[in-house]
Amino acid sequence: MPHDPPLTKPLALAQARNLQLAAQGLLAAPRRKATPLALRQCIAQMQLLQIDTISVVARSPYLVLFSRLGTYPQAWLDAALADGHLFETWAHEACFAPAADLLLHRSYNQHTRRHWGLQNGKSIQASHRTHLDALLAHIDSNGPVRSADFTRQDGKTGNGWWDRKDEKRWLEALFASGELMVKRRDSFQRVYDLAHRVHPHLADAVLPEAAAVHQHFTEKAILALGITQARWVHDYFRQKPRLKDADLDALVEQGVLQRVEVQGWALPGYVHRQHAELLQSAQAGQLRATHTALLSPFDPLVWDRERASAMFGFDYRIECYTPEEKRTYGYFVLPILYRGALIGRLDAKAHRAQGVFEVKALFLEDGVKLSDAAVRAVADAIQRCADWHGTPEVRVGRTEPEGVGERLRWVVEE
């Protein structure tokens, strides 16, 4: 069906990028020293903070925050969870989310989301109910537990989801169903407790209806992205189905969203009304991207491959779950953000005991040529990340093109 004409003059793609970077907190380097409140506000701005356990550099949620906040103690994120400012939930994947959104996520996960707890059309919660109830009773009587508190009885070592010990599967099934929540993390291990003990108000809470939750998540995704096409919205909270422009007509008519034309896009973009001033600044060319940072592979800026390609011309696939022989760039590859562009990727490893931050490989995107200022900015970003890891000695390995390595080494060795 024909769309309403855009309500604003067309944006250049670079202006749209800067709008998205501003909404994501990546347009400029932080102006103030990080605080626990700033950390919580950063997560609220993104709406979600994806969790991953890989720790060859800092685990992803800590690294996502570092890219936006600069140096901060990682314990602040742990404290925000333990103090109830955040909670863990299934969303884009396993994520931290602001406590204010707890009922939205709880409603969606219980009524709409189909998670791994459903197998062959039969719920684990039904087929293992006796065991699950016994585990709940144990936690009720004895307090919070970790998966590590239980030992396998068959002498095997877990290899894959269905070869994990029963209690591990049951704990995660109860977490997915909402009967358990994560009270805190100890050395990044989940500590599970009864949901009503983690958040006592849940016992009497009325969950919002599915239609309201769907609209809230749609708005929140668009707000977090700054500007987006309709077809990218669903991925942020992993909603179904993928949206079409017609699905957003009502929100446009209500003035919640604004349709905008972006040069080079065949489809319209959408901006939330809360970003009206940001949109005006983008159109006026007043948003200047000045930040240089290493991004997590699970950063929301790049976790949608199609969106990253359309917005930044950056084809990014996470390869840590790909067999080594099939990887193109490396195990834990960090996109390099430089002044509004994704200019390359870096495979890194922090050797904490030796105090060494190893750049195993660095690849520039085709056609990217770094000025001396850009080389220094990238080198400084690497050094800041290394210092934050407690691995201040940077060692640069292979680079493509080769000459970049020598230029980077010269800067980091100054």
Side-chain angles (χ1 to χ4, degrees), residues 14 57 69 71 80 109 164 166 180 219 222 249 318 355 390 406:
V57 294
L69 297 173
T71 298
N109 289 341
R164 293 177 180 175
D166 289 338
L180 293 181
E219 287 191 44
I222 296 170
D249 282 345
I318 297 171
E406 288 304 315

Side-chain angles (χ1 to χ4, degrees), residues 299-316:
D299 194 291
L301 193 74
V302 297
W303 70 27
D304 184 331
R305 188 176 184 182
E306 178 185 311
R307 171 165 51 83
S309 178
M311 291 293 300
F312 294 92
F314 191 72
D315 186 15
Y316 185 62

